[in-house]
Structure formats: structure tokens, C-alpha cells
Amino acid sequence: MDEKEIEFALNCAKEAAKIGKQIIKKYFLEKPKNEIEMKGISDWVTEADKKSEEEIKKFLISEFPANFLGEEFGSSRATKKNLTWIVDPLDGTKNFTKGIDIFCVSIALKEENSIRVGVVLDVMRDEMFYACSGLGAFLNEKKISVSENSNFSSSLIGTGMPFRIKEFVNLYLESYKEIFLKGAGIRNIGSAALEICYVACGRLDAFWELGLSPWDMAAGALIVSEAGGVVSDFWGKQNWLETGCIIASNKKLYEPLLSIISKHFEKI
């Protein structure tokens, strides 16, 4: 894609995120008798998730045809081009179902093996994080960058429990313990997409989690990279979309965080 196509795709993603936001916010504020289904252990889906994805997909495919990968309805092909929309219509569903107002819409566009566009919209705070490859990262039109903190003991690091792959909980807790004992503050707000974006704007210094899906990470990872940060899997490679294991960090804390996590997950 050339720069003009990328800019158009970004505008489409922004509008689609706003469509999803309106649907989710309406459900949340009106608190209807929302049918909640279990997709897996501790994995929830609501009518709001489904309706949001339906309308986002309809808009994106009509405005910028590309293949589609969504959390609720899976993948579909709309073009022979190697372009794919990757969509989480409601990241933070458990928060949503419990009346906690921390959840978002996440939309990315992948070309070949590269994420070219990323948009994450915090529904209740109306904060839109976005980026295009090579053009920087922004929060509500203001350019953002990762933190400059190089002191691990004063850092604030985000994470999430591996609820989809609980067989790795002991390894996760070992890494958590070492990071905690080295003095880092740790937060889990229940939305990986938002926490990755918090790294991009410096609210968090870093983030790590395993067991994630592409739609949890794709948009936020681009936003962190464009904000001057570093994104990798747990072993320092660019296979986070495939493995579901991601580290997103400022440049100064990346190596010490990677050394801890890669050690504990060396054998998986």
C-alpha cells in the first residue's frame, strides 16, 4: 500500500471504531438483559461483542475491502490481496459484564506480515490511540511516545493472567514474582489492547502477557512501535502474533524485562 492508501485505511479504521464504540456504550449504559455466553474457561462473549463486530465488519468491508479476522465470527475472505483487518470488537468483556468501565475497540490492518494501521478506542474515556507504519503514534491527534524511565525498581509494568492457558500459570507466576521483587509496580486492568497502548503513551513503562490472540495485540503493538518502543515475543523474536506471547516496552527497560521473562519461559 502507498501512503495515500494507508491514510484512507486509517480513516476507515477510526470510523469503524467509533461505530463499535456507540454500540458498546449503549449496551453498557442501558444495562439490558444481556445474554452472556462462555467461549471457554473465564472467556466471555456478549450480545454487545457480536453486534459491534457485525457492524464494524460491514463498514470496513464496504469502505476498504480486505480479508477479515474477528474475535467473534472468525475469518473470511473479501479479496485476493494479502490485506487483513484484525478486529476485537470489545476488548475487556469481563470488565464490561461486571460494570467496570475499562474496555475498548481494537482494529488493525495487516499487509503481508506487517501491521500497517492500528486503532484502539477506549469506549468510556473517548481516547483514541492510533498509528500508521512509519508515521508515528497518536492519542486524540496528539503525538505520543514511550517513557524514558530506565530504573526497573521505579517502573510500572502491565500484565494479564493467562486465563486461556492455565497450564502455564506457574511459569507466569514465577516471572511475576521476580519482576515484583525487583521493585516494579504491576498492574492488570483487564484489557490487553489498552495496556499495550498505555506503554505507547508512557502511562506504563512495559507490558507482558501470554495466551493472547492476534486481535488483542495487533493494533497496540504497532502503536507502541511507532511511539518509539520495542515489541517482541518472550524470546526476543518477532513471532508474537503466532505465539500469543508479547512484550511491549520502552527501549530502556526492554532488555532487563526480556531477560527475566525469557528465562522463565525458556522451555515452552
Side-chain angles (χ1 to χ4, degrees):
M1 291 192 298
D2 60 28
E3 188 172 320
K4 188 174 181 180
E5 287 177 304
I6 292 174
E7 185 177 347
F8 180 67
L10 173 64
N11 289 332
C12 291
K14 286 181 175 180
E15 289 306 310
K18 291 175 185 177
I19 290 169
K21 182 196 81 168
Q22 291 171 352
I23 293 167
I24 295 164
K25 189 172 184 178
K26 184 174 186 292
Y27 272 93
F28 185 76
L29 293 177
E30 293 182 1
K31 292 183 172 60
K33 291 183 178 178
N34 212 0
E35 184 179 348
I36 301 171
E37 301 173 11
M38 288 285 287
K39 292 190 290 185
I41 297 173
S42 300
D43 203 359
W44 302 82
V45 60
T46 68
E47 290 176 17
D49 295 78
K50 294 176 180 179
K51 184 64 175 176
S52 175
E53 185 167 314
E54 285 174 359
E55 295 304 315
I56 287 171
K57 182 177 181 179
K58 186 188 302 182
F59 177 83
L60 288 175
I61 299 304
S62 67
E63 296 297 318
F64 193 99
N67 305 314
F68 193 90
L69 176 62
E71 180 176 16
E72 306 311 331
F73 300 110
S75 61
S76 62
R77 294 194 65 82
T79 175
K80 292 182 180 179
K81 293 181 180 179
N82 204 349
L83 292 169
T84 303
W85 290 111
I86 303 175
V87 174
D88 192 336
L90 200 176
D91 185 60
T93 301
K94 191 65 177 287
N95 284 349
F96 176 90
T97 64
K98 294 296 185 180
I100 299 170
D101 65 350
I102 302 173
F103 43 83
C104 66
V105 178
S106 177
I107 300 174
L109 181 64
K110 182 164 75 84
E111 182 181 29
E112 304 291 343
N113 295 316
S114 300
I115 307 299
R116 306 300 299 275
V117 168
V119 173
V120 175
L121 178 55
D122 184 327
V123 171
M124 302 307 291
R125 289 160 189 80
D126 213 20
E127 290 189 328
M128 181 179 284
F129 300 87
Y130 63 93
C132 292
S133 54
L135 298 176
F138 298 83
L139 167 55
N140 290 349
E141 314 300 328
K142 183 178 179 181
K143 197 163 188 179
I144 55 175
S145 60
V146 296
S147 76
E148 293 292 331
N149 184 19
S150 60
N151 187 344
F152 200 92
S153 65
S154 68
S155 65
L156 188 61
I157 299 177
T159 189
M161 294 291 288
F163 65 89
R164 293 191 185 104
I165 47 173
K166 293 187 176 180
E167 64 269 27
F168 294 113
V169 68
N170 287 333
L171 294 177
Y172 169 79
L173 291 174
E174 288 169 8
S175 67
Y176 187 107
K177 181 179 178 181
E178 184 169 349
I179 291 165
F180 175 74
L181 290 176
K182 286 185 182 296
I186 301 176
R187 296 290 183 273
N188 176 3
I189 67 171
S191 169
L194 276 178
E195 287 180 272
I196 294 170
C197 289
Y198 284 4
V199 175
C201 69
R203 293 174 185 170
L204 293 173
D205 298 304
F207 173 84
W208 94 101
E209 191 168 347
L210 67 153
L212 294 176
S213 299
W215 45 79
D216 299 314
M217 305 176 283
L222 175 66
I223 295 167
V224 168
S225 297
E226 289 295 321
V230 183
V231 177
S232 78
D233 61 21
F234 282 6
W235 306 275
K237 301 184 183 301
Q238 292 301 305
N239 296 325
W240 45 272
L241 271 178
E242 293 77 24
T243 65
C245 302
I246 189 169
I247 297 172
S249 176
N250 73 18
K251 289 182 177 177
K252 296 179 179 179
L253 293 177
Y254 171 73
E255 289 294 342
L257 183 59
L258 175 65
S259 67
I260 293 170
I261 293 170
S262 62
K263 174 179 64 179
H264 290 289
F265 288 91
E266 182 179 12
K267 295 182 180 179
I268 72 167

